[in-house]
Amino acid sequence: MISRILKFKYLFKITIFIPLIFYFGKRSYIAFDEGFYALQARWILDKGNWTIPLWWDQYVLDRTIGFQFLIAKSQDIFGRNMFASYLPTTAFAILMLLITYKLHEELFNKKYAIVSPLILSTTYLWFDYSHLATQDIIHSCLVTIGVFSLVKIKSKENKFYLLLFGIWIGLAFMMKTFLVFVPLLSLLPYLYIKKNLLFNKLFWFGLLIGCFPFLFWGLCINPYLEKNIIFYLFEKFTILSNKNTFTNPFYYYFWNIPATYLPWSVFAIIGTIYNFYENKEKKYILSFFPLILLGILSIFSTKTPYYTLQISSILTLNTYVGIKYLFDSKRCKRFFIFITSKIVPLFIVSLTFTYYFFFKNISNFNFKENTF
């Protein structure tokens, strides 16, 4: 009887995420990226060309064919409809929630492990991109898998995770090419502690397995090109590293992350700082990893909100730590309750009152926009 109740308990945990993950309403592709990838996937099926990314009749050599291949294969299996085009993103979004759950178990405890994926699924940025037909959630999921496998490696006996840590790197390169080096560089302090894994044959074998899709695609596409595909990809990297449309100032992520990770940003910052002063191995994952990654991204010329998705699982773990710290501390708990029960409602009411009586007439919003 108890075992049956426990089974329903786990089933209930899964059903919580169904309305957050699946959307069956009407959709339209969002320009530019969604429409771009959807059209490339369509041309793969129409022309039977699974090798060269096309834009009308021109070769597009600034990216791999990884994500377009997944959309095309999904539509080939489940039919040419929009729901099928979103399935790769949906599948990896679910997997990312699961890995976040397991990562919480590994770093903290099993009792409240559901909290971290629940926080992640209600984060604006992650929620938005988990419903877009782009490769950003897939890449972020692969990075999370890499972090999880690294945490699970305790000795040479953890063969599966040694293999897995090698595999994710090659697959992530197939998705976002040179962006994979950002999380790898950010993990260097933790890799230094576990430096022996870099000399393990299983890691290198896993790396070879992960790189196989890119190596195979490179061999297939190279006969059609004047030079190796890697040079074309590097040209795109050079463009992004110089001043362009997406160039933003160094401090871009200092305001962008708090805005795009609402409503959990404050707790994530508190948790990151708290973990930084923890004399434990996990601070290398929970504090050093996201801070170094943000530092590297801040140096890079191109800055976009979705680049930080690769640390979204870590930020949700820090959010859990931040919330737990506030509730465990009597002084902070009282202050937190005062802010959330008194100051925040007063601020919202004051803001609404000020808008409706002083600023409503200067805008041409409709009723829905005004209410929002």
Side-chain angles (χ1 to χ4, degrees):
M1 183 67 181
I2 295 173
S3 61
R4 287 182 179 179
I5 293 172
L6 288 173
K7 285 181 181 178
F8 279 109
K9 182 181 176 182
Y10 287 117
L11 185 64
F12 176 70
K13 287 181 179 179
I14 295 171
T15 56
I16 291 173
F17 298 98
I18 291 176
L20 295 170
I21 295 296
F22 293 98
Y23 177 74
F24 299 98
K26 292 182 179 180
R27 294 192 185 194
S28 61
Y29 293 118
I30 298 173
F32 170 68
D33 282 356
E34 275 198 307
F36 183 87
Y37 291 124
L39 268 177
Q40 286 195 317
R42 176 182 173 181
W43 288 323
I44 287 174
L45 295 172
D46 286 348
K47 299 178 183 295
N49 183 351
W50 295 77
T51 304
I52 308 172
L54 298 174
W55 185 249
W56 302 105
D57 292 324
Q58 301 295 319
Y59 293 174
V60 179
L61 305 173
D62 63 344
R63 66 197 72 198
T64 67
I65 203 171
F67 185 64
Q68 303 90 308
F69 180 93
L70 291 178
I71 294 177
K73 183 54 69 177
S74 177
Q75 290 186 332
D76 189 38
I77 297 171
F78 300 103
R80 292 199 184 188
N81 54 73
M82 292 191 70
F83 183 78
S85 66
Y86 286 97
L87 273 180
T89 303
T90 303
F92 276 89
I94 295 168
L95 181 58
M96 191 172 177
L97 290 173
L98 178 62
I99 298 299
T100 304
Y101 179 89
K102 301 303 291 183
L103 196 55
H104 183 116
E105 280 188 343
E106 191 66 26
L107 293 174
F108 305 123
N109 52 58
K110 293 183 179 181
K111 188 176 181 181
Y112 298 109
I114 193 65
V115 172
S116 289
L118 194 58
I119 290 171
L120 179 62
S121 64
T122 53
T123 303
Y124 164 73
L125 188 69
W126 187 91
F127 180 83
D128 187 26
Y129 276 86
S130 66
H131 292 86
L132 296 180
T134 63
Q135 77 275 53
D136 303 294
I137 284 291
I138 298 177
H139 174 78
S140 302
C141 178
L142 292 169
V143 173
T144 308
I145 290 172
V147 173
F148 175 66
S149 59
L150 188 59
V151 171
K152 290 288 288 185
I153 297 170
K154 309 295 183 184
S155 66
K156 293 181 180 179
E157 301 303 316
N158 303 117
K159 295 180 180 179
F160 173 75
Y161 295 106
L162 282 164
L163 194 69
L164 189 61
F165 185 71
I167 291 173
W168 82 269
I169 299 172
L171 295 179
F173 188 85
M174 188 64 179
M175 284 293 115
K176 296 287 281 187
T177 61
F178 297 105
L179 188 64
V180 71
F181 292 109
V182 176
L184 281 175
L185 289 172
S186 306
L187 286 168
L188 280 179
Y190 196 62
L191 284 171
Y192 180 77
I193 298 173
K194 298 190 175 184
K195 54 190 172 186
N196 290 331
L197 79 86
L198 298 176
F199 301 99
N200 192 289
K201 292 179 181 178
L202 279 171
F203 163 70
W204 291 102
F205 183 60
L207 185 64
L208 182 63
I209 294 173
C211 289
F212 178 77
F214 177 79
L215 294 173
F216 180 76
W217 174 66
L219 288 173
C220 292
I221 197 174
N222 272 340
Y224 301 94
L225 308 178
E226 296 177 357
K227 53 186 177 182
N228 190 281
I229 184 62
I230 201 73
F231 291 103
Y232 292 100
L233 297 175
F234 190 76
E235 285 175 7
K236 174 66 177 294
F237 172 76
T238 305
I239 292 170
L240 292 176
S241 60
N242 294 314
K243 191 173 182 180
N244 59 79
T245 310
F246 301 101
T247 297
N248 281 293
F250 179 83
Y251 55 83
Y252 175 78
Y253 291 111
F254 287 97
W255 68 262
N256 185 263
I257 288 178
T260 53
Y261 283 89
L262 287 171
W264 308 110
S265 312
V266 176
F267 306 109
I269 293 168
I270 293 170
T272 304
I273 295 170
Y274 178 82
N275 286 315
F276 187 83
Y277 291 101
E278 283 283 285
N279 293 318
K280 296 179 181 178
E281 193 176 285
K282 63 184 180 182
K283 71 179 179 181
Y284 291 96
I285 293 295
L286 295 174
S287 293
F288 289 1
F289 170 57
L291 290 174
I292 295 171
L293 187 139
L294 291 176
I296 295 171
L297 289 179
S298 296
I299 295 169
F300 196 63
S301 178
T302 299
K303 298 177 183 69
T304 63
Y306 55 80
Y307 278 177
T308 60
L309 274 170
Q310 54 198 314
I311 56 168
S312 54
S313 289
I314 303 300
L315 291 179
T316 57
L317 293 172
N318 285 327
T319 299
Y320 165 78
V321 173
I323 294 171
K324 189 173 182 297
Y325 171 75
L326 288 173
F327 275 93
D328 288 345
S329 171
K330 290 183 180 180
R331 183 185 298 177
C332 292
K333 182 179 180 179
R334 290 175 182 174
F335 177 73
F336 172 67
I337 291 173
F338 174 75
I339 292 292
T340 53
S341 64
K342 303 292 193 301
I343 303 300
V344 172
L346 181 63
F347 173 75
I348 293 172
V349 171
S350 302
L351 193 66
T352 307
F353 179 86
T354 304
Y355 172 75
Y356 266 97
F357 286 94
F358 294 100
F359 298 104
K360 183 181 177 182
N361 294 330
I362 66 173
S363 61
N364 295 318
F365 294 147
N366 58 36
F367 176 78
K368 186 178 179 181
E369 289 169 335
N370 277 318
T371 304
F372 177 75

